[in-house]
Amino acid sequence: MKAIGIYKNTSVDEENCFIEEQLDKPVAKGGDVLVQVKAVSVNPVDTKQRKMKEDDGNFRILGFDAAGVIEEVGEDVQGFEPGDEVFYAGSVARQGSNSEYQLVDHQVIAKKPSNLSFSDAAALPLTALTAWEAMFEKMHIPLDIEANKGKTILLINAAGGVGSIASQLAKLHGLTVIGTASREETEKWANQHGTERTINHHKPLHPQLEALDFDNDTVDYVFCMHQLDKAWDDIIEVIRPEGIIAAITGPVEGIKLTDLTSKSLTLVWEYMFTRTLHQTDSKYKQGEILTKVAELLEEGRLRTTKAEELKGLTAKNLQEAHKRLEAGSMIGKLVISV
Amino acid sequence: MKAIGIYKNTSVDEENCFIEEQLDKPVAKGGDVLVQVKAVSVNPVDTKQRKMKEDDGNFRILGFDAAGVIEEVGEDVQGFEPGDEVFYAGSVARQGSNSEYQLVDHQVIAKKPSNLSFSDAAALPLTALTAWEAMFEKMHIPLDIEANKGKTILLINAAGGVGSIASQLAKLHGLTVIGTASREETEKWANQHGTERTINHHKPLHPQLEALDFDNDTVDYVFCMHQLDKAWDDIIEVIRPEGIIAAITGPVEGIKLTDLTSKSLTLVWEYMFTRTLHQTDSKYKQGEILTKVAELLEEGRLRTTKAEELKGLTAKNLQEAHKRLEAGSMIGKLVISV
């Protein structure tokens, strides 16, 4: 099978940033399924993993979002069979999806929403799992719409990959959603994906919240998806006493933890790959969350966050995708279809 | 009325560390009750507040734990009347309990457990509120005993004021309680107050957990009540993926927040005075928590954490109490009865 990867860390400006190799097609055993990959999407974790790759002679396949068709199931797999269309994020501890075929643990996959194309579906797993785990598990935001009435969440970087699905999920569960965006196009995208009001994260947030036509100039929850260190002082200012802050990325240098004390704040760290990396008992929940997300997509209550699609899973397209990610101005998700 | 306090920050070694003044007896208005104080206890917040006192000419009465008898109620008070015996922590934003009479918001007080003396009751409010809010609200530990079966909490400084009641509350709600203690007497005290196994926080914790006769060498929750910075590396090592760390005190310098990432950990800050300081809508919950704690005390399911009692609320006894607290080797709570 064809697989695209790296032997050592590379720059997106190098000519051979990615290499295409012919590898043996893997065999599904135990709880694994073998998936014929139809579409993948790229995430910041891809560029981080690329830069961290050790020059150890091993070929590393990146790619931590995919949609495809099950080709083969291991003897312990339940609930899936060959021919099933599925979508998943998988695990950073294993080879990724930038490959013709991929092995993945059946506990962390779900049936692809039937009304979505492979590429529309491939945009979602990693970001939907991140948003769901952060908000409905770690921040303990209730799934009960009534209980969230009158509660407000601030999403820092609402138009990004995680932001575009977090905003939809938050709105769907009854929260008032305020998101940050700093350009006309990101503002527009955020408003199309669940964000009710946008404010600009390059300006002080509190005066902008005060200027909105809401009862409150403070928020119950802050979900920071970009540059936590730069956003920190604004977050501490706008969050209510007993509020909860979730973060998925640093930098964290210079953050003063004493800022948490007077208001008794909680800081939640969400890393979607914790469950597969540490093989926690709870990893099956990722299959459950994706199943729930697929239902909401089928019901038309969520929409894909795919903003752009490159056709052809090639070394050149993958390099182009990493280049866009590193430029840091991504809107929604970039998908590569096979 | 007689009140004991300070005009400026003082050292516990000064001759006149505290001053006794004769003040007008206050009048209960609005939601306040006026309490005739019968016993108080001392907490680290007292010594911190003493050291922070500005030399602004104002007389500051410390003391943030009390039991007493209601003398008078404001026109908005519901559920309490003169003659009621009550216990409470009150608010650091107001004058404290080291006084013959004290005004306190009726929303943050509760009826004193009928089977406890004033001094046994005065030991508890601040620490019980801290432990309850940290564990059952902010860490989201269920109040359902069955749900906590198989879950383990590690209490750093189990024999301290908060530790001695946190351990009882955690055990009562079905958690396995492991506590740290470093001296024979603190180990004994911790074991008498809900801690099932003690380990020594002056030695690496993980090998000690491994040596215990439990299934796991990791814990679901860590409640750190002493020197968070020194305990941090041990906490990160022993806590399970997706675990929750609660802290009530620093220092926090040097703590690396990136340690939270791989395991998707949550850091909760608990400060009992957040609700009264920021006048949150949730402050009435402190009255409810103390009422629940009083019930558990009356049912004999909790016991007082009073370890020692000084008789007579005098400047001299208060100075002695602050001296003991600052020495840092306190076991349980030190109470001063009027």
Side-chain angles (χ1 to χ4, degrees):
Chain A
M1 65 169 191
K2 187 176 89 169
I4 305 167
I6 48 174
Y7 281 100
K8 57 181 178 59
N9 72 70
T10 53
S11 153
V12 280
D13 299 321
E14 287 176 42
E15 196 171 343
N16 294 313
C17 176
F18 287 101
I19 294 164
E20 294 189 13
E21 287 281 11
Q22 281 297 326
L23 305 179
D24 290 340
K25 188 161 106 175
V27 176
K29 290 180 195 160
D32 280 346
V33 300
L34 180 69
V35 177
Q36 186 183 15
V37 176
K38 297 290 191 183
V40 303
S41 80
V42 287
N43 294 285
V45 66
D46 288 276
T47 59
K48 282 182 199 159
Q49 292 268 326
R50 197 193 77 239
K51 290 176 193 167
M52 281 164 53
K53 174 69 173 84
E54 282 175 39
D55 187 4
D56 54 7
N58 293 324
F59 187 61
R60 172 68 165 147
I61 306 170
L62 303 173
F64 305 102
D65 256 336
V69 182
I70 291 182
E71 170 106 352
E72 198 179 277
V73 299
E75 63 279 11
D76 300 329
V77 170
Q78 291 185 330
F80 296 96
E81 54 188 40
D84 282 346
E85 297 180 355
V86 293
F87 73 148
Y88 54 88
S91 166
V92 284
R94 305 184 69 173
Q95 294 289 35
S97 60
N98 298 334
S99 178
E100 237 178 307
Y101 294 92
Q102 181 188 13
L103 286 177
V104 61
D105 183 341
H106 78 291
Q107 287 193 48
V108 301
I109 73 175
K111 304 265 169 72
K112 175 179 83 61
S114 54
N115 59 332
L116 259 61
S117 67
F118 286 108
S119 70
D120 282 352
L124 288 161
L126 184 150
T127 52
L129 285 167
T130 301
W132 190 287
E133 289 180 354
M135 296 193 298
F136 303 124
E137 294 185 351
K138 298 200 170 48
M139 297 175 102
H140 289 270
I141 295 176
L143 288 170
D144 172 10
I145 295 176
E146 283 308 310
N148 293 325
K149 284 271 157 67
K151 299 280 184 182
T152 302
I153 190 166
L154 172 66
L155 304 176
I156 310 271
N157 197 28
V162 179
S164 314
I165 187 71
S167 49
Q168 294 184 68
L169 286 169
K171 188 182 178 190
L172 199 58
H173 289 86
L175 292 157
T176 298
V177 182
I178 300 170
T180 73
S182 61
R183 294 175 284 151
E184 204 176 314
E185 51 189 345
T186 50
E187 206 175 295
K188 189 179 162 195
W189 175 272
N191 289 328
Q192 287 167 344
H193 291 81
T195 297
E196 294 165 56
R197 295 285 190 289
T198 53
I199 56 179
N200 186 335
H201 48 253
H202 292 316
K203 298 176 185 168
L205 299 184
H206 191 241
Q208 296 181 79
L209 281 179
E210 274 183 318
L212 293 178
D213 52 344
F214 287 118
D215 286 347
N216 273 298
D217 56 354
T218 55
V219 299
D220 301 279
Y221 307 103
V222 177
F223 187 5
C224 184
M225 296 164 275
H226 192 57
Q227 294 188 313
L228 182 64
D229 57 345
K230 285 195 184 152
W232 186 257
D233 290 345
D234 277 315
I235 293 171
I236 296 300
E237 191 178 1
V238 303
I239 197 163
R240 282 182 206 157
E242 308 183 87
I244 304 177
I245 304 160
I248 56 170
T249 183
V252 296
E253 282 68 36
I255 284 177
K256 298 185 301 295
L257 280 182
T258 45
D259 290 339
L260 301 177
T261 59
S262 165
K263 292 187 186 174
S264 287
L265 301 174
T266 290
L267 175 63
V268 159
W269 205 280
E270 161 61 20
Y271 179 49
M272 197 230 84
F273 292 111
T274 291
R275 287 173 165 170
T276 43
L277 204 53
H278 296 275
Q279 288 292 304
T280 64
D281 293 341
S282 62
K283 73 175 175 181
Y284 72 91
K285 289 187 184 172
Q286 296 201 323
E288 291 186 352
I289 294 167
L290 287 177
T291 300
K292 181 72 191 159
V293 167
E295 281 169 23
L296 294 170
L297 286 157
E298 285 177 349
E299 292 164 5
R301 302 173 74 199
L302 290 179
R303 54 188 292 200
T304 182
T305 55
K306 184 181 81 174
E308 208 179 338
E309 181 173 340
L310 301 176
K311 289 187 192 295
L313 184 52
T314 61
K316 187 172 155 289
N317 274 344
L318 204 53
Q319 182 167 0
E320 174 63 21
H322 276 236
K323 209 177 270 185
R324 302 260 193 104
L325 269 182
E326 288 191 18
S329 56
M330 284 285 295
I331 296 179
K333 290 300 303 287
L334 175 59
V335 172
I336 305 176
S337 56
V338 175
Chain B
M1 65 170 189
K2 187 177 88 169
I4 304 165
I6 48 175
Y7 281 99
K8 57 180 177 62
N9 72 70
T10 54
S11 153
V12 279
D13 298 321
E14 287 177 43
E15 195 171 342
N16 294 313
C17 176
F18 288 100
I19 294 163
E20 294 189 14
E21 288 280 11
Q22 281 297 325
L23 305 178
D24 289 341
K25 188 161 108 174
V27 176
K29 289 180 195 160
D32 281 346
V33 300
L34 181 70
V35 177
Q36 185 183 16
V37 176
K38 297 290 191 183
V40 302
S41 80
V42 287
N43 294 285
V45 67
D46 288 276
T47 59
K48 284 181 198 159
Q49 293 267 326
R50 197 193 75 239
K51 291 176 192 167
M52 281 164 54
K53 174 69 172 82
E54 282 174 38
D55 187 5
D56 55 7
N58 294 323
F59 186 62
R60 172 67 165 148
I61 305 170
L62 303 173
F64 306 102
D65 256 336
V69 181
I70 292 183
E71 169 106 352
E72 197 179 278
V73 300
E75 62 279 11
D76 300 329
V77 169
Q78 291 185 330
F80 296 97
E81 54 188 40
D84 282 347
E85 296 181 354
V86 294
F87 72 148
Y88 54 87
S91 166
V92 284
R94 306 184 69 174
Q95 294 289 36
S97 59
N98 296 334
S99 179
E100 234 177 309
Y101 293 91
Q102 180 189 13
L103 286 177
V104 62
D105 182 341
H106 78 291
Q107 287 194 49
V108 301
I109 72 175
K111 305 264 169 72
K112 175 180 84 62
S114 55
N115 58 332
L116 259 61
S117 66
F118 287 107
S119 70
D120 282 351
L124 288 162
L126 185 151
T127 52
L129 285 166
T130 301
W132 189 287
E133 289 180 352
M135 296 194 296
F136 304 125
E137 295 185 349
K138 299 200 168 51
M139 297 175 102
H140 289 270
I141 295 175
L143 287 169
D144 172 10
I145 294 176
E146 282 308 311
N148 293 326
K149 285 270 155 68
K151 300 279 185 183
T152 302
I153 190 167
L154 172 65
L155 305 176
I156 310 269
N157 198 28
V162 178
S164 313
I165 188 72
S167 50
Q168 295 184 67
L169 286 168
K171 188 182 179 192
L172 198 59
H173 288 85
L175 292 157
T176 298
V177 182
I178 299 170
T180 72
S182 61
R183 293 175 284 150
E184 203 176 317
E185 50 189 346
T186 50
E187 205 176 296
K188 189 178 164 197
W189 175 271
N191 289 329
Q192 287 166 343
H193 291 81
T195 297
E196 294 166 55
R197 296 284 190 289
T198 53
I199 57 180
N200 186 337
H201 48 255
H202 292 317
K203 297 177 186 168
L205 298 185
H206 191 241
Q208 296 181 78
L209 281 179
E210 275 182 318
L212 293 179
D213 52 345
F214 287 118
D215 287 346
N216 273 297
D217 57 353
T218 54
V219 299
D220 301 279
Y221 307 102
V222 178
F223 187 4
C224 184
M225 295 164 275
H226 193 57
Q227 294 189 313
L228 182 64
D229 58 344
K230 286 196 183 151
W232 186 257
D233 289 346
D234 278 313
I235 292 172
I236 296 299
E237 191 179 2
V238 303
I239 196 163
R240 283 183 205 156
E242 308 182 86
I244 304 176
I245 303 161
I248 55 171
T249 184
V252 297
E253 282 68 36
I255 284 177
K256 299 185 300 294
L257 280 182
T258 46
D259 290 338
L260 299 177
T261 61
S262 165
K263 291 186 185 174
S264 287
L265 302 174
T266 291
L267 175 63
V268 159
W269 205 280
E270 160 61 21
Y271 178 49
M272 197 231 84
F273 291 111
T274 291
R275 288 173 163 169
T276 42
L277 205 51
H278 296 274
Q279 288 292 304
T280 65
D281 292 342
S282 61
K283 74 175 174 180
Y284 72 91
K285 289 187 184 170
Q286 295 200 325
E288 291 185 354
I289 293 167
L290 287 177
T291 299
K292 180 73 192 158
V293 167
E295 280 169 24
L296 294 170
L297 286 158
E298 285 177 348
E299 291 164 6
R301 301 172 74 199
L302 290 179
R303 55 189 290 198
T304 183
T305 55
K306 184 182 81 176
E308 207 177 340
E309 182 174 340
L310 302 175
K311 290 189 191 295
L313 184 52
T314 61
K316 187 172 154 290
N317 274 345
L318 204 53
Q319 180 167 1
E320 174 63 22
H322 276 237
K323 208 177 273 187
R324 301 261 192 107
L325 270 182
E326 289 190 18
S329 55
M330 284 285 296
I331 297 179
K333 293 299 303 285
L334 175 59
V335 172
I336 305 175
S337 55
V338 175

